[in-house]
Structure formats: structure tokens, C-alpha cells
Amino acid sequence: MSGALDDKVILLRKDASAGRRFQVDYSSLLNPAQLEAVMHDEGPALVVAGAGSGKTRTLVYRVARLIESGVAPQAILMLTFTRRAAQEMLSRVERLVGERSRSVTGGTFHSFANGVLRRNGKAMGLPGNFTILDRGDMEDLINLLRGQMGLASRERRFPNKSTLAEVISMARNKARSLEQELEADFPHLLDHSADIALLAENYARYKRARALLDYDDLLHLLAELLKDDPAVRRRVSDFFRYILVDEYQDTNPIQAELVSLLAATHQNVMAVGDDGQSIYSFRGADFRNILEFPQRFRGARIIKLEENYRSLQGILNLANEVLASAAHKYSKTLFTRRSGEFRPLLVRAQDEHMQSRFVAQRILELREEGVELNEIAVLFRSSFHSFDLELELQRRDIPFVKRGGFKFVETAHVKDVMAHLRVAANPADAVSWLRALTLIHGVGSRKGQRLVEALARADDPEQSLRNKATEVAGKHPTAAQELVKLGALMGSLRRNLEPPANQVGAVIDYYLPLMRDAYPDDYPRRERDLEHFQQIAQRYRSLQAMLADMALEPPSDSIGGVLAADSETECLTLSTIHSAKGLEWKVVFLIWAADGRFPPPQSMHVDELEEERRLTYVAITRARDELYIVYPIYVFERSVGYTMGQVSRFLQDIDPHTLACASLQEEVED
């Protein structure tokens, strides 16, 4: 938000209702609905915040108001879905009320669970130095167990490690049994249900024996602790007397349960979210959580934020119409005080290539009109929808960046370095040991597993490595030398309590020759990533804290890619709608708005179609000034050739006064 709504501090005034003097003039800085939420006193409240309605601002001022009302900052807990969101909000709170806000606890569900479990987990047999597995580590461990169980042979087809991880994780996130999850989302794997169930049991047993926790464990073990230990539940709930939850529509069943448990002694929960933007069921989010909030928290006050500070009214009219037909919703009507008119345009193109030509040509025209490429985005339902457009943009020399790809810590070279650091922090981490060992030429998966088993039994793993090096020196002299080097490295890391940046540097020095051998084509780019990794490590004083953060809130992009996160290059944005949530642009194009592409043919269940409708609403509300919705009339299907396409069902009955229509002619310029 900008202009009159920027954060600012007003000199002391008297709050008549509370009889207290406040530093911030809330009534002058907030609209009536925002003010109602901020001034809410005790008890549960649900703030239904329409797109662009200032939900973040409301949360920020709510925290400031609590502190100014005399609430101890350490009694306030703010749960978000990214650490960046929490840090940004708390930074804004500090600008309003000063340094006392630094005692507020803010972070993700997973990071909060990590902290509570490290302090209180001993009661349930969980050591404080447990290791957090990221998704890649989870898959590697499942693959290890899959092989040990004889489920990975060439003679027998069995789901791969990523699919197995997805089944196990989704069952837990959706509070289903494995059988129920297979029936609902993976019916083609039902023949393997008995083996998958046994694998899941072995996976859970393996983790517990070695103090390994995956993301799902963090939440489930915290819920288990709070449910089974009334003293801990009361102590934690009494400590955090005021709980705020951002993006509540994105919570899964276990997260909603955690909020209830944390509020057990007071019910002072304020959840902020928009049921119209619940689009992450594929991650386990359940939109019913926000709809059922009043049933979970009896007597909850419902406050609607409907004034939009982002888009012109013409764009909001379309968003309102699309959402009006939703089967289950909190009714709301977005409006704005912004001046200016624009009626969204539905463009019918002859085929996909003409769709691409229109988008590229209009982008060039906008550029001539003074709109920067950074202020323009092209959105689509699925990643492959932009392939033809990408070729057209390249042909016309329009620079673009596509949101997606590998996250920084998902790249192989960064995961390799992380494995060594994790072993230093937790020598029982067999998954990381295996990854570190199999980097050595001459140590394959089987030999690596045998070495891991020997290391797990050894009192001194580093000496055990040196002994193994002596045993294999005759047949594999190179492997023997590398085992000695690895032993020396791990011994040095464990003996010398160096700052994390120095430890990362030591691992990189050891790893670089191995990396150059493994990735001869692009090792310079990977080296730049590792340099960036060491730079990140400078922020930390504790290796354990760094490893936890890298697992829970990893940096998002490799700096060796096309566009780094901090690049100033002017680029058009191409993005799936899911990746665009929370963002905004001056001009937005929504392509492939054709039935069968949006929604896709597999989304035929009522709940799936309703989520696709919400996805349409999210796409529309990313635009501030101009919105173009494009679809091809002739659609090529590989199995049947060209077919006649029609506009997405979510746009078929829109009032023509709301959505203008145009058909492209052949004179679209080359």
C-alpha cells in the first residue's frame, strides 16, 4: 500500500474507550473494518480479508495495539507461512511502537514447533539435537528403506521415492489413513497398499531411532505433546495469551488443531485469511478450516475487510462476479476508492500462436506507453501453458523470468555440502552420512550402506572411517584417500567450534574437487552458489540454528540462474497462478483461459472445481490497472487433432458490462 496509508506514527492522543494514551492514531490510519479488527478485545475473531484489502496492515496494527494496551510482547504469538512475512510484519510493528515489539514471537508453524519441541521434547523421548529432514532427505531415506525391503528390484514395479513421500506426507497433512489417501488421490497404487503401509511404519521407526524429524513430524509431535501433556499445554497456552494466524485459509487439519491447542486456556485467537484465496489443497490445505472457524471457536467475531487498495473497480467487479457463484463462501463485495476506469478484456485468439503474438505485441505497446516490464505479468494455470509464448518472447527479444524451478537448497551441490554439516551436528544422521560417502569415487550405494551401518555402531566415527580406508586401500586407493580426508574433515568439524561460516568454508574446500569431477560442464556456476551459501552462513552464530533455518525457510533461488532474487534487470514475469499469489502487477495477462485447460480435465470433482474458481479469482486480483484474459478458439490435442475451444466455465456467464470481448484478426503484427 502507498500514499496516505503508509505506516506513520501520530503523536500522543487519548483513546476514549480504553482511557489510555496511545502513540499511534489508529482511527486516522485505518478504515472502519480494519479498525474494528485492531480494536478487538478478548476472545476469538476471524478477519475475512478480501484480496488487496490490507490484511498485513491489519495484523501489524493489531500487534501494535495489543502492546500499547499493556499486553506483554512476549505473550503475543504470530504464526505465518513464511519467515519473511513474520519478519516484515514485526519490523513494521517496531517502527510503530519501538524496540519492545522485539519480544513478540513470530514465525512459521514449523519453526515454532521446532523451538517448542527442542525445549520440551525430552518428556516424549525426543533429544534436543534432533535433525530436521527436508523433502529431499525424506525421499532419500524412503529410497534407502525401499531398497532394503526389496521393493526396488528391476523385476517388480513399485512407486518411486517422490511418489511414496507424497503419499505418506499427504495422508498425515490431511489427517487420513494411508488407505484413505491412496483411495482418494492415488487409486492406481492401491495394489501396493500393504507394502506402502509397511514402508511407512519402517520409515517412522527409523526416524525415531535416529532422532530424525521431517516437516510433518514437527507439527504432529507438537500436537501430540500438547494433547498428551496437560501441564505443557497449559504452560505454553498461558505463556502465549494472544495468538494471531496469517493466511488461515492455507492451514491443513493439523495446523488448525494446533491453533486450538495453543489457545486452550484463553481462546484469544485472531485468524486472518480469505476463503476466496484457498488454492493449496495439493499441499494439504483445507479451505473448510476457515469456513468452520466459528464452529471451532464458539462466539467468534467475524469481521470482513472489503475495501481494496490495489485494483481499479472494473477489475474488482469481475472478481466479485466470479466468486459470487462459489458454493461455499463468506459473502463479500470488494470495492475501491481508487479513481480510474478499466473494463477487463476477454480476447479470443484463433490459435495458441496468435494468443502468444497478441500478448507479445501488447507488451511491446505497453512498453512504449511507459509501463516497465517489471510491472507486467503473464499468468497461467499450468507451467507448460507458457511454452509457445516463451518462444515468441525470445523471438521479439523481450526478456522474461519464469517463476519456478529448483530452490536453492534443492540443488545437488548445496545438498551435498549440507549433508556434511548435518553429520557434524548429528552423527546418527544416516541419510546424510550416506550422501557424503557416495560422493567418493568407488563408494556406491551398497558399499555406502555398509559403511553407514559400521559408522552407526562406532564410538568414534572418524576413526572408523580411517580403519575402513586401510581395509580398502589395496583395491581402491583413491577411495581410501578420500575416506581419510572425510574422516579428518568430520573430526575437525566436531572438535573445533568454529562459526558456521568457517565450517561451511571447510566443507566447501573438501568438496570442490569432488564437485568439479561430478559436474564438469557447469561447476563454475555451482561454485558461485556455494560462495553464496557461505555468505548466508555469515548471519549465524550456531550451526544448529543455520541447519534448522535452511530446512524450514531455505533461500529460494540459485544465484547462478537466469535471474537472481536481488537482480535489477528489467524483466517480464511469467508465472503459474499458484506462484503469483500474494503478488501484484500493474498489467496482468491470463492466458489459456479455456475450458479443459482452466480448469484442467482432471479437476471434475465439486471441491476441485470450486478451488479452480478460487484460482481464477486469485489471478484476476493480481492486476492493478489492466487485465487481459486470452484463450485460443482452435486447440490442438495430440490424440484428436484440432478441436474447438471455449472460454473457461468460470467466465462464460459474466455480464458483458463487466467483461468486454474481442476477437483477434489476422492483422496482428509480426
Side-chain angles (χ1 to χ4, degrees):
M1 278 179 277
S2 60
L5 286 176
D6 284 341
D7 289 339
K8 55 185 176 181
V9 177
I10 306 299
L11 293 177
L12 294 177
R13 64 180 285 271
K14 178 123 178 200
D15 185 282
S17 62
R20 178 184 291 271
R21 295 174 69 83
F22 291 96
Q23 184 177 355
V24 181
D25 187 349
Y26 298 96
S27 60
S28 297
L29 295 169
L30 302 167
N31 68 40
Q34 292 171 335
L35 184 63
E36 182 183 357
V38 167
M39 303 296 281
H40 175 72
D41 193 17
E42 300 281 319
L46 174 64
V47 179
V48 181
S53 63
K55 73 171 181 64
T56 300
R57 182 180 189 79
T58 302
L59 280 168
V60 166
Y61 279 79
R62 168 68 174 167
V63 175
R65 171 80 165 89
L66 287 172
I67 293 172
E68 289 209 283
S69 298
V71 173
Q74 59 266 30
I76 302 171
L77 170 64
M78 180 187 292
L79 294 171
T80 64
F81 279 85
T82 66
R83 184 176 58 177
R84 171 187 271 182
Q87 290 175 335
E88 186 176 306
M89 284 190 274
L90 292 179
S91 175
R92 289 173 62 180
V93 174
E94 184 175 349
R95 291 199 294 271
L96 290 171
V97 298
E99 294 184 0
R100 50 189 164 159
S101 66
R102 294 181 183 178
S103 297
V104 174
T105 297
T108 65
F109 280 89
H110 293 88
S111 62
F112 175 74
N114 172 54
V116 175
L117 289 173
R118 289 197 190 275
R119 290 189 298 270
N120 299 278
K122 288 183 180 178
M124 57 194 314
L126 185 65
N129 71 332
F130 61 79
T131 295
I132 301 172
L133 303 176
D134 65 17
R135 186 53 176 258
D137 300 320
M138 177 186 182
E139 292 179 5
D140 287 345
L141 176 52
I142 286 173
N143 202 45
L144 173 65
L145 298 173
R146 178 173 169 262
Q148 291 178 351
M149 294 171 63
L151 300 175
S153 64
R154 294 182 179 179
E155 293 76 25
R156 181 186 182 190
R157 297 190 64 182
F158 196 72
N160 62 33
K161 62 181 183 180
S162 61
T163 301
L164 293 167
E166 185 74 5
V167 171
I168 293 170
S169 182
M170 289 298 283
R172 301 189 74 189
N173 283 325
K174 294 186 176 182
R176 294 171 171 169
S177 67
L178 274 173
E179 188 78 16
Q180 290 171 328
E181 176 57 27
L182 289 169
E183 289 176 354
D185 296 329
F186 304 88
H188 57 293
L189 301 181
L190 279 169
D191 290 345
H192 301 292
S193 59
D195 286 331
I196 293 174
L198 182 58
L199 176 63
E201 291 175 11
N202 289 342
Y203 172 64
R205 190 178 303 115
Y206 191 101
K207 287 184 297 176
R208 181 58 66 94
R210 292 162 177 80
L212 305 174
L213 270 64
D214 60 30
Y215 289 155
D216 302 323
D217 292 325
L218 290 169
L219 302 186
H220 281 265
L221 288 177
L222 177 58
E224 180 183 326
L225 175 66
L226 296 177
K227 282 188 292 188
D228 295 348
D229 194 324
V232 172
R233 180 174 66 247
R234 185 167 53 254
R235 184 167 66 248
V236 174
S237 184
D238 282 344
F239 187 85
F240 295 108
R241 296 290 300 175
Y242 292 86
I243 299 171
L244 298 94
V245 187
D246 189 23
E247 303 283 14
Y248 190 77
Q249 79 279 352
D250 293 334
T251 55
N252 61 34
I254 189 66
Q255 288 166 329
E257 182 183 19
L258 278 172
V259 174
S260 296
L261 290 167
L262 291 169
T265 65
H266 52 73
Q267 300 289 289
N268 291 327
V269 175
M270 177 171 283
V272 181
D274 183 4
D275 54 298
Q277 297 188 70
S278 180
I279 59 173
Y280 293 127
S281 64
F282 66 93
R283 296 181 185 168
D286 191 339
F287 79 101
R288 294 178 184 83
N289 287 345
I290 192 168
L291 295 178
E292 296 171 359
F293 186 90
Q295 286 73 53
R296 185 181 288 270
F297 295 95
R298 296 292 178 180
R301 186 178 184 179
I302 299 177
I303 303 165
K304 296 179 183 178
L305 305 185
E306 297 173 293
E307 182 172 355
N308 179 284
Y309 295 95
R310 176 186 301 155
S311 307
L312 293 177
Q313 189 62 52
I315 294 169
L316 298 179
N317 290 341
L318 177 58
N320 288 334
E321 274 203 54
V322 167
L323 213 54
S325 300
H328 306 287
K329 63 182 182 297
Y330 288 103
S331 297
K332 55 183 175 292
T333 303
L334 298 179
F335 69 94
T336 185
R337 301 180 196 274
R338 281 191 63 196
S339 60
E341 294 184 6
F342 181 83
R343 185 162 52 137
L345 184 63
L346 177 66
V347 180
R348 293 187 292 256
Q350 181 176 337
D351 54 22
E352 181 182 17
H353 185 53
M354 182 169 281
Q355 171 180 255
S356 300
R357 290 164 62 198
F358 164 75
V359 172
Q361 180 178 315
R362 181 61 188 136
I363 288 170
L364 290 174
E365 291 170 354
L366 288 164
R367 200 62 194 85
E368 290 298 313
E369 294 167 13
V371 180
E372 294 185 359
L373 290 178
N374 292 339
E375 288 283 3
I376 307 172
V378 181
L379 307 183
F380 30 86
R381 172 62 180 85
S382 301
S383 184
F384 69 90
H385 288 171
S386 70
F387 288 170
D388 184 77
L389 176 61
E390 291 172 37
L391 295 174
E392 184 68 15
L393 294 172
Q394 290 170 348
R395 189 174 73 86
R396 299 195 187 213
D397 293 324
I398 300 174
F400 65 88
V401 59
K402 187 172 181 179
R403 293 179 62 84
F406 282 107
K407 291 183 178 178
F408 183 78
V409 295
E410 291 173 349
T411 55
H413 48 295
V414 174
K415 287 184 72 67
D416 290 344
V417 172
M418 290 280 289
H420 294 81
L421 297 168
R422 283 175 168 159
V423 169
N426 178 9
D429 186 347
V431 176
S432 295
W433 265 122
L434 184 61
R435 187 177 188 102
L437 288 165
T438 52
L439 288 170
I440 297 173
H441 185 67
V443 179
S445 180
R446 290 184 180 179
K447 185 177 292 184
Q449 289 180 32
R450 289 196 296 270
L451 284 170
V452 168
E453 291 171 2
L455 291 168
R457 295 191 299 267
D459 294 329
D460 185 346
E462 293 79 44
Q463 182 60 47
S464 180
L465 277 175
R466 288 190 286 271
N467 294 340
K468 288 295 178 183
T470 302
E471 293 176 15
V472 303
K475 293 183 178 180
H476 302 284
T478 302
Q481 292 173 8
E482 293 302 327
L483 287 172
V484 170
K485 290 180 183 178
L486 177 59
L489 171 70
M490 301 316 299
S492 173
L493 291 175
R494 289 184 56 77
R495 284 191 301 272
N496 301 325
L497 300 179
E498 295 274 356
N502 292 4
Q503 293 176 294
V504 171
V507 175
I508 291 173
D509 289 341
Y510 161 81
Y511 172 67
L512 281 178
L514 300 176
M515 187 189 72
R516 289 169 181 160
D517 184 58
Y519 310 108
D521 293 336
D522 64 350
Y523 70 82
R525 177 184 64 81
R526 296 174 189 266
E527 285 186 18
R528 290 195 297 273
D529 280 347
L530 296 181
E531 290 170 4
H532 184 49
F533 185 11
Q534 190 167 6
Q535 184 178 351
I536 290 172
Q538 298 280 359
R539 309 170 192 168
Y540 294 91
R541 296 181 179 178
S542 157
L543 178 61
Q544 187 180 82
M546 187 190 77
L547 292 174
D549 275 0
M550 295 296 278
L552 294 168
E553 288 287 340
S556 59
D557 295 304
S558 165
I559 64 166
V562 176
L563 185 72
D566 59 352
S567 173
E568 296 180 358
T569 305
E570 185 186 344
C571 282
L572 168 74
T573 297
L574 307 184
S575 176
T576 62
I577 302 168
H578 285 100
S579 296
K581 183 176 175 290
L583 303 175
E584 61 182 73
W585 293 269
K586 185 180 182 69
V587 181
V588 168
F589 295 84
L590 174 60
I591 63 172
W592 272 111
D595 224 48
R597 289 303 206 291
F598 192 179
Q602 63 268 27
S603 297
M604 290 296 110
H605 187 274
V606 173
D607 284 349
E608 294 169 337
L609 285 174
E610 284 301 294
E611 181 158 320
E612 295 294 320
R613 178 183 298 281
R614 297 192 294 270
L615 201 58
T616 308
Y617 167 80
V618 168
I620 292 168
T621 54
R622 299 312 94 197
R624 294 200 301 268
D625 292 359
E626 297 184 26
L627 173 66
Y628 301 90
I629 301 174
V630 195
Y631 75 100
I633 298 173
Y634 293 100
V635 179
F636 182 76
E637 300 284 354
R638 188 173 180 183
S639 57
V640 296
Y642 279 98
T643 60
M644 289 289 290
Q646 59 180 340
V647 70
S648 170
R649 66 190 66 191
F650 307 125
L651 301 171
Q652 287 176 7
D653 299 322
I654 298 296
D655 189 320
H657 292 96
T658 302
L659 183 62
C661 296
S663 296
L664 292 181
Q665 303 300 320
E666 284 296 337
E667 60 263 23
V668 171
E669 297 176 5
D670 270 333

